[in-house]
Amino acid sequence: MLATSAQAATPSTAEVNTTGLAVTDDTVTVGILHSITGTMAISEIGSVQAEKLAIDQINAAGGVLGRQIDFVQEDGASDWPTFAEKSRKLLRQDNVAAIFGAWTSASRKAVLPVMEQYNGMLYYPTFYEGLEQSPNVVYTGQEATQQILASLNWAAETKGAKSFYLLGSDYIWPRTSNKIARKHIEDKLGLKVSGEEYYPLGHTQFNSVINKIKLRKPDVIFASVVGGSNVAFYKQMKAAGIDFTDEKPLLLTISVTEDEIRGIGGENVDGIYASMKYFQSLDNANNKEFVAAFKEAYGDDMVIGDVTQAAYLGPWLWKAAVEKAGSFDIDKIREEFAGIEFKKAPEGYVRIHENHHLWSKTRIGQAQLNGQYKVVYETEELMEPDPFPEGYQ
Amino acid sequence: MFDGYTSSELMSIFAMQGFAGLSLFSVFVLMALGLTIIFGQMGVINMAHGEFMILGAYTTYLTSGFFQSYLPGLFGGYFFVAMILAFFVCAALGALVEWLMIRHLYHRPLDTLLATWGLSLIMQQAYRSIFGAREVGVDLPEWMLGAFNVTDLVQLPINGLFVMIIALSIAVGLYLLMYRSGYGKKVRAVVQNRPMAEAVGINSAGIDRATFALGCGIAGVAGAAFTMIGSTGPSSGQAYIVDTFLVVVFGGAQSLIGTIVSAFGISQAQSTMEFFLSGSMAKVLTLLVVIGILMLRPEGLMALKVRR
């Protein structure tokens, strides 16, 4: 009897799906598109786990519009043309109602035209450089200004920083981020940039830049070094006698999450600061539930970084949007994005801006010996996403 | 370029960058020696050289884990055990690979290139399956962490000095082995004229296997040393291989001394330029200079005279 009454509440398929998506009376199919092989697999596997966890939880709570979520998973293989091809397959052949995935900016840029051509909807989970906005993408990570501006203000106001050394890996995200950082430091804060430097991806010799830092004595090293280079960088800093627990110089990173610390080693990053919207150690009820569920699903030794949490938001925001629109149709959902909120977000609370990015808080965490961050600061209000910041380009 | 620095600061800069260059030099020497003797002796370009280094690094990682769990009191000295283990693990695998694969491909240098490249892919995938895709870090004992303060600005990291000592010892050891031992004489005889060497009773197949194993073993020690400065992941070996070839080719592919001279030249040039230009720019300029010199001396800096 219960089943029939539940069915009675479920809207008919003809009503909620007028565009031929993979929706039946009982199920709706979505796509998960990440690299599970190749060089990016290290970073993206956490996102896949988080998205699957969210889907399981949504299903356990009754699904979306009375339908259970099925997913088709494809492997982008760390190769952006493959991402484009697989997204086309997901949209044209599987007719998925949404795609959760992509990680690097290159893979997102490759998927974007496919999304726009076939009117799909991508939930993109990584913090990124901004300078983009598409009607077919929802960005669940932070864009550059959200991640950077609050942390520079914090360093200037709370820590009295006067000079900044900008250091990053040599590709678009660190360069764009540092461009914004430099404008903010010089024009808005009226402080000094004492150096700006980029090293090729995978670079492992940082002695020269460490010497420069010693000589120019910046108050803050603002770092966006990515991947394996991080291990070399922090080990060599420590060997060269730069101790971050002294807070002089202060190191502020936008690229080292709890995931990376596992490879670098807690003793090498002890005392550095990271600016992100999420840390595993966040002290709120939503996050405690999330961390417990994640560890139960994937093991106690798992660590959860900023990007993993942003991936977890995707399916939940999609569910909220579908239910607000009362339909799986992409065009109807798109009308509803502005103002959609997710109160159970592990990071606390998020809301979608009309520019398809999220309002979110920015937090500063200080790395501890055990590889976790301790939150030392968070913005009072949600920060407005601003993917095309005026005066910063 | 020099403005904004006082002359005493400039002195410090050159001292510090000279030392940074020396660290880079020892890294280059460690990477290139194994490759040089395999190529010089047998004409085999070992594309899996980087993966052998990573095998040494993983051996170190396992050893450090073992000491931490079972012999915490001896942790300070685990590194020496790890280096010896890394040498033997890599040398044993090298000998096996030579026996299974390489010996069938002598006189077909392009095929050894393909075969060892395939080997490198297999090894990478094996690391991924065994150790996971994530990069692992190796804990260092306390005594390796600090730095000697020469002046306020000039500091010498202990682990950098340590890598330098390892590189130097291996280079000297190899020199003695190649130029002062019976084995070395045989190796050089085989390199100069294989049929004649065989005619006087030298077992050239045995020499080949020993040399290949030796080259791989040195790669393993290099890998062990690199855990002190970098990270270890399934594909980290790829990051080193280009620089290694650069050093070997520039030095004259068959010459031990040439390799060392070339490593010194490239590292010092790069290190000094890195300070005054950007990191990427220094790399580009170094490459341009190397290409220029190779156009004048296609055989490399110190080519061996070989009877063909």
Side-chain angles (χ1 to χ4, degrees):
Chain A
M1 284 304 108
L2 264 177
T4 35
S5 64
Q7 215 144 38
T10 305
S12 77
T13 304
E15 224 174 290
V16 298
N17 173 24
T18 61
T19 53
L21 297 170
V23 179
T24 69
D25 290 346
D26 316 304
T27 62
V28 51
T29 305
V30 298
I32 292 179
L33 175 58
H34 280 288
S35 300
I36 49 173
T37 57
T39 173
M40 293 314 299
I42 309 172
S43 309
E44 293 192 54
I45 282 170
S47 304
V48 175
Q49 290 174 328
E51 284 155 7
K52 287 184 179 170
L53 178 66
I55 288 173
D56 283 345
Q57 290 177 336
I58 293 171
N59 281 341
V64 180
L65 291 182
R67 288 158 175 86
Q68 293 282 299
I69 306 170
D70 270 346
F71 63 82
V72 179
Q73 188 179 343
E74 290 293 345
D75 179 10
S78 310
D79 174 49
W80 53 266
T82 308
F83 268 96
E85 194 183 301
K86 297 288 185 181
S87 64
R88 183 173 289 117
K89 184 247 174 196
L90 284 171
L91 291 180
R92 299 285 289 159
Q93 201 174 314
D94 302 319
N95 298 309
V96 297
I99 294 178
F100 304 100
W103 211 91
T104 61
S105 286
S107 63
R108 184 191 68 251
K109 295 274 188 207
V111 167
L112 201 60
V114 181
M115 288 291 152
E116 291 181 352
Q117 185 182 357
Y118 300 114
N119 200 24
M121 190 61 80
L122 175 75
Y123 292 77
Y124 174 71
T126 323
F127 49 72
Y128 82 117
E129 64 276 3
L131 306 179
E132 187 183 295
Q133 180 178 329
S134 163
N136 297 81
V137 184
V138 174
Y139 307 82
T140 69
Q142 291 185 303
E143 46 76 35
T145 65
Q146 287 175 308
Q147 207 185 358
I148 293 168
L149 304 189
S151 67
L152 294 176
N153 292 342
W154 168 82
E157 285 159 20
T158 315
K159 297 289 177 181
K162 299 272 179 276
S163 59
F164 296 75
Y165 199 101
L166 313 179
L167 172 71
S169 293
D170 203 353
Y171 71 107
I172 179 169
W173 177 69
R175 279 189 179 268
T176 313
S177 300
N178 283 342
K179 203 174 195 175
I180 291 171
R182 180 183 272 272
K183 291 271 184 193
H184 193 70
I185 293 163
E186 288 177 342
D187 299 352
K188 305 283 152 114
L189 297 173
L191 300 173
K192 191 177 139 215
V193 172
S194 58
E196 181 172 348
E197 188 114 18
Y198 300 94
Y199 282 87
L201 285 167
H203 193 77
T204 53
Q205 288 291 318
F206 289 95
N207 308 39
S208 299
V209 72
I210 290 169
N211 288 343
K212 274 189 233 187
I213 287 168
K214 275 186 186 165
L215 211 65
R216 297 196 190 157
K217 299 190 177 62
D219 295 331
V220 177
I221 304 164
F222 184 74
S224 47
V225 176
V226 304
S229 286
N230 271 315
V231 182
F233 177 57
Y234 289 102
K235 270 192 176 172
Q236 286 164 25
M237 289 285 255
K238 176 145 190 170
I242 297 180
D243 190 351
F244 299 115
T245 50
D246 293 348
E247 308 222 332
K248 190 79 178 155
L250 180 148
L251 191 136
L252 184 60
T253 173
I254 52 174
S255 60
V256 175
T257 72
E258 290 89 334
D259 267 323
E260 273 82 21
I261 293 185
R262 285 231 300 208
I264 301 171
E267 74 279 7
N268 292 316
V269 292
D270 190 15
I272 70 166
Y273 294 94
S275 168
M276 282 162 197
K277 63 174 181 164
Y278 175 84
F279 298 105
Q280 189 181 327
S281 62
L282 280 192
D283 190 16
N284 69 55
N286 292 352
N287 188 43
K288 283 195 181 114
E289 253 175 67
F290 169 63
V291 172
F294 199 91
K295 291 197 168 192
E296 194 187 312
Y298 302 113
D300 269 343
D301 59 339
M302 280 303 186
V303 293
I304 305 160
D306 179 272
V307 178
T308 305
Q309 193 263 167
Y312 178 77
L313 302 179
W316 285 103
L317 289 169
W318 169 70
K319 171 188 152 81
V322 169
E323 285 175 348
K324 191 171 168 201
S327 168
F328 290 103
D329 292 348
I330 305 274
D331 287 330
K332 289 187 188 143
I333 295 173
R334 183 179 298 123
E335 301 301 313
E336 305 295 339
F337 276 132
I340 280 189
E341 52 181 18
F342 180 36
K343 291 184 176 145
K344 293 280 284 175
E347 63 176 274
Y349 167 89
V350 292
R351 192 165 74 235
I352 304 183
H353 191 277
E354 58 189 21
N355 64 22
H356 285 204
H357 292 67
L358 297 186
W359 292 79
S360 63
K361 287 192 173 183
T362 290
R363 300 178 167 89
I364 314 274
Q366 185 172 30
Q368 312 289 303
L369 261 180
N370 66 5
Q372 287 290 321
Y373 281 103
K374 190 175 93 190
V375 179
V376 296
Y377 168 82
E378 66 175 43
T379 50
E380 272 171 40
E381 303 294 325
L382 297 177
M383 285 190 78
E384 183 173 3
D386 186 8
F388 298 96
E390 248 175 75
Y392 283 99
Q393 287 166 38
Chain B
M1 199 158 95
F2 298 119
D3 43 303
Y5 297 111
T6 64
S7 60
S8 76
E9 276 176 340
L10 272 177
M11 288 293 287
S12 306
I13 290 172
F14 283 111
M16 288 192 295
Q17 289 309 110
F19 183 77
L22 280 181
S23 323
L24 190 61
F25 163 67
S26 40
V27 167
F28 280 162
V29 166
L30 278 175
M31 292 192 304
L33 278 182
L35 200 65
T36 289
I37 64 168
I38 289 175
F39 185 76
Q41 148 79 357
M42 307 187 294
V44 171
I45 298 169
N46 182 14
M47 295 294 282
H49 189 74
E51 279 63 42
F52 276 99
M53 292 184 352
I54 298 309
L55 181 60
Y58 275 123
T59 307
T60 310
Y61 168 69
L62 292 179
T63 314
S64 101
F66 178 84
F67 270 70
Q68 250 163 355
S69 310
Y70 300 104
L71 301 166
L74 298 175
F75 188 70
Y78 89 87
F79 200 81
F80 300 97
V81 181
M83 271 196 320
I84 295 167
L85 276 177
F87 179 84
F88 282 108
V89 168
C90 294
L93 185 70
L96 185 72
V97 165
E98 201 275 347
W99 179 69
L100 278 173
M101 200 165 87
I102 309 290
R103 71 188 168 119
H104 304 293
L105 299 173
Y106 290 127
H107 317 299
R108 292 154 66 186
L110 281 181
D111 294 358
T112 57
L113 193 107
L114 268 183
T116 51
W117 186 54
L119 177 69
S120 82
L121 294 181
I122 293 170
M123 288 172 80
Q124 277 180 41
Q125 195 52 47
Y127 300 150
R128 211 166 275 129
S129 308
I130 298 169
F131 298 100
R134 243 173 250 276
E135 306 197 337
V136 299
V138 175
D139 288 335
L140 290 179
E142 277 300 315
W143 65 267
M144 275 191 193
L145 286 176
F148 293 117
N149 295 326
V150 180
T151 71
D152 271 356
L153 280 170
V154 184
Q155 280 165 322
L156 307 184
I158 292 174
N159 59 7
L161 282 173
F162 197 69
V163 173
M164 228 173 272
I165 292 169
I166 298 172
L168 219 66
S169 328
I170 291 182
V172 170
L174 262 185
Y175 177 82
L176 293 177
L177 191 66
M178 286 298 167
Y179 293 97
R180 294 283 183 275
S181 78
Y183 163 77
K185 254 184 206 136
K186 288 179 191 167
V187 171
R188 282 181 292 135
V190 173
V191 171
Q192 294 219 339
N193 194 328
R194 187 175 287 265
M196 191 62 87
E198 283 168 0
V200 298
I202 294 173
N203 173 5
S204 74
I207 294 281
D208 283 341
R209 189 156 316 145
T211 310
F212 196 83
L214 180 66
C216 293
I218 293 171
V221 177
F226 289 166
T227 59
M228 290 191 291
I229 47 180
S231 66
T232 307
S235 47
S236 319
Q238 302 280 305
Y240 295 119
I241 201 74
V242 176
D243 281 338
T244 313
F245 277 122
L246 182 71
V247 170
V248 170
V249 171
F250 184 55
Q254 295 168 321
S255 160
L256 219 56
I257 309 292
T259 301
I260 291 170
V261 172
S262 129
F264 189 79
I266 292 176
S267 60
Q268 289 298 340
Q270 196 159 317
S271 163
T272 313
M273 283 193 287
E274 249 177 25
F275 195 91
F276 298 104
L277 309 165
S278 75
S280 306
M281 208 49 205
K283 196 141 205 173
V284 170
L285 281 182
T286 311
L287 265 174
L288 282 178
V289 172
V290 168
I291 292 169
I293 295 181
L294 280 179
M295 284 168 84
L296 300 173
R297 288 185 67 91
E299 297 276 286
L301 280 182
M302 297 198 173
L304 211 59
K305 296 244 180 322
V306 179
R307 202 169 297 176
R308 296 189 189 279

